[in-house]
Short mmCIF file of all heavy atoms in Angstrom, two decimals:
data_model
loop_
_atom_site.label_atom_id
_atom_site.label_comp_id
_atom_site.label_asym_id
_atom_site.label_seq_id
_atom_site.Cartn_x
_atom_site.Cartn_y
_atom_site.Cartn_z
N GLU A 5 222.44 -2.93 176.98
CA GLU A 5 223.26 -2.32 175.95
C GLU A 5 223.64 -3.34 174.89
O GLU A 5 223.65 -3.05 173.69
CB GLU A 5 224.52 -1.71 176.58
CG GLU A 5 225.53 -1.12 175.58
CD GLU A 5 225.00 0.06 174.80
OE1 GLU A 5 223.90 0.58 175.14
OE2 GLU A 5 225.67 0.47 173.84
N THR A 71 206.00 -0.96 147.20
CA THR A 71 207.12 -0.83 148.14
C THR A 71 208.41 -1.32 147.52
O THR A 71 209.46 -0.69 147.62
CB THR A 71 206.83 -1.62 149.44
OG1 THR A 71 205.65 -1.07 150.04
CG2 THR A 71 207.99 -1.51 150.41
N ALA A 89 220.06 -7.33 126.79
CA ALA A 89 221.01 -7.83 125.79
C ALA A 89 220.76 -9.30 125.46
O ALA A 89 221.22 -9.79 124.41
CB ALA A 89 222.44 -7.66 126.29
N GLU A 111 210.00 -2.23 130.50
CA GLU A 111 210.06 -0.80 130.21
C GLU A 111 211.17 -0.48 129.23
O GLU A 111 211.00 0.32 128.30
CB GLU A 111 210.26 -0.04 131.52
CG GLU A 111 210.24 1.47 131.38
CD GLU A 111 210.40 2.18 132.71
OE1 GLU A 111 210.29 1.54 133.76
OE2 GLU A 111 210.63 3.41 132.68
N SER A 159 198.61 -12.87 137.51
CA SER A 159 197.64 -13.95 137.43
C SER A 159 198.17 -15.20 138.11
O SER A 159 199.36 -15.52 138.01
CB SER A 159 197.31 -14.28 135.97
OG SER A 159 196.72 -13.18 135.33
N ILE A 160 197.29 -15.91 138.81
CA ILE A 160 197.64 -17.15 139.48
C ILE A 160 196.49 -18.13 139.30
O ILE A 160 195.42 -17.78 138.84
CB ILE A 160 197.89 -16.94 141.00
CG1 ILE A 160 196.69 -16.23 141.64
CG2 ILE A 160 199.18 -16.16 141.24
CD1 ILE A 160 196.77 -16.12 143.14
N ASP A 193 204.75 -17.16 148.41
CA ASP A 193 203.38 -17.61 148.17
C ASP A 193 203.34 -18.86 147.31
O ASP A 193 203.99 -18.92 146.25
CB ASP A 193 202.58 -16.49 147.50
CG ASP A 193 201.13 -16.86 147.30
OD1 ASP A 193 200.37 -16.80 148.28
OD2 ASP A 193 200.78 -17.23 146.17
N VAL A 225 208.42 -21.16 149.73
CA VAL A 225 208.17 -22.17 148.70
C VAL A 225 209.28 -22.18 147.64
O VAL A 225 209.52 -21.16 146.98
CB VAL A 225 206.81 -21.95 148.01
CG1 VAL A 225 206.47 -23.12 147.09
CG2 VAL A 225 205.70 -21.75 149.03
N GLY A 244 230.95 -17.79 148.63
CA GLY A 244 230.74 -18.91 149.53
C GLY A 244 229.99 -20.06 148.91
O GLY A 244 230.18 -20.42 147.74
N LEU A 246 226.91 -20.38 147.96
CA LEU A 246 226.07 -20.06 146.81
C LEU A 246 226.89 -20.04 145.53
O LEU A 246 226.48 -20.59 144.50
CB LEU A 246 225.36 -18.72 147.01
CG LEU A 246 224.47 -18.25 145.85
CD1 LEU A 246 223.40 -19.27 145.54
CD2 LEU A 246 223.84 -16.89 146.18
#
Side-chain angles (χ1 to χ4, degrees):
E5 175 64 10
T71 299
E111 184 178 347
S159 297
I160 54 173
D193 183 78
V225 188
L246 178 58

